[in-house]
């Protein structure tokens, strides 16, 4: 009798899960210089519920406008260039979190290190080389999260 009681709920669950055919909706797009693909499960081929394609595209476009290092009109690109640009809440959130991580790691995490990366030739298309001490000292004046006032 106990076995029958345990088997009944399992059979009921299997019967319920078999009554709906699950299908998938797939879409792709481009963002941040690469591509993405999303697959969403639906209950049936007739399911006309809102697929998040437009919402994902919109979110990625907003993030790209804020954080793309390749888009010369993005907030971070313009901010890094020294432009007077209004910072949105996403940018400020990442900046504050970066400061917290930098402080927690005693500066081991430092998002201001790009001038040194370029100087030593580790950047895009760069050639690695030794840097004279005076040049290094001059560039280091512009590196350090402590220089950023949020």
């Amino acid at each position: 009798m106990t076995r029958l009681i345990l088997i009944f709920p399992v059979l009921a669950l299997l019967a319920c899960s078999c009554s709906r055919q699950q299908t998938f909706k797939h879409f792709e797009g481009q963002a941040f210089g690469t591509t993405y693909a999303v697959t969403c499960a639906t209950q049936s081929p007739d399911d006309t519920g809102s697929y998040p394609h437009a919402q994902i595209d919109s979110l990625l476009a907003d993030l790209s406008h804020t954080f793309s290092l390749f888009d010369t009109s993005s907030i971070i690109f313009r901010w890094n260039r020294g432009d007077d640009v209004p910072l949105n809440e996403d940018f400020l959130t990442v900046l504050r979190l970066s400061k917290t991580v930098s402080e927690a790691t005693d500066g081991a995490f430092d998002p201001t290190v790009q001038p040194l990366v370029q100087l030593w030739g580790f950047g895009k298309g760069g050639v690695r080389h030794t840097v004279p001490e005076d040049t290094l000292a001059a560039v280091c004046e512009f590196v350090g999260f402590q220089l950023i006032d949020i």
Side-chain angles (χ1 to χ4, degrees):
M1 181 67 170
T2 308
R3 279 190 180 165
L4 195 54
I5 293 173
L6 291 174
I7 292 174
F8 180 72
V10 171
L11 290 175
L13 286 173
L14 286 174
C16 290
S17 68
C18 292
S19 66
R20 293 184 182 176
Q21 180 183 359
Q22 195 170 44
T23 60
F24 297 92
K25 173 74 174 173
H26 181 83
F27 54 90
E28 300 174 353
Q30 294 184 347
F32 291 99
T34 189
T35 60
Y36 68 89
V38 176
T39 302
C40 299
T42 64
Q43 293 302 319
S44 72
D46 300 341
D47 186 355
T48 57
S50 173
Y51 297 114
H53 190 186
Q55 294 95 327
I56 290 172
D57 277 346
S58 177
L59 174 64
L60 289 173
D62 288 346
L63 289 173
S64 183
H65 174 68
T66 300
F67 297 113
S68 175
L69 297 174
F70 307 104
D71 178 1
T72 58
S73 67
S74 75
I75 292 172
I76 196 164
F77 191 98
R78 293 172 52 210
W79 188 68
N80 282 337
R81 192 171 52 206
D83 294 355
D84 186 19
V85 58
L87 305 179
N88 64 23
E89 198 55 43
D90 288 336
F91 189 95
L92 290 170
T93 297
V94 170
L95 192 59
R96 289 182 188 113
L97 181 59
S98 296
K99 185 173 182 95
T100 300
V101 173
S102 182
E103 290 169 352
T105 61
D106 292 325
F109 173 75
D110 187 351
T112 70
V113 77
Q114 183 64 20
L116 291 174
V117 170
Q118 292 299 115
L119 179 66
W120 281 318
F122 287 98
K124 184 178 180 181
V127 177
R128 297 178 188 165
H129 57 277
T130 305
V131 177
E133 285 292 322
D134 58 335
T135 304
L136 181 61
V139 171
C140 281
E141 290 182 28
F142 299 100
V143 174
F145 209 96
Q146 72 281 359
L147 299 173
I148 298 175
D149 184 26
I150 302 174

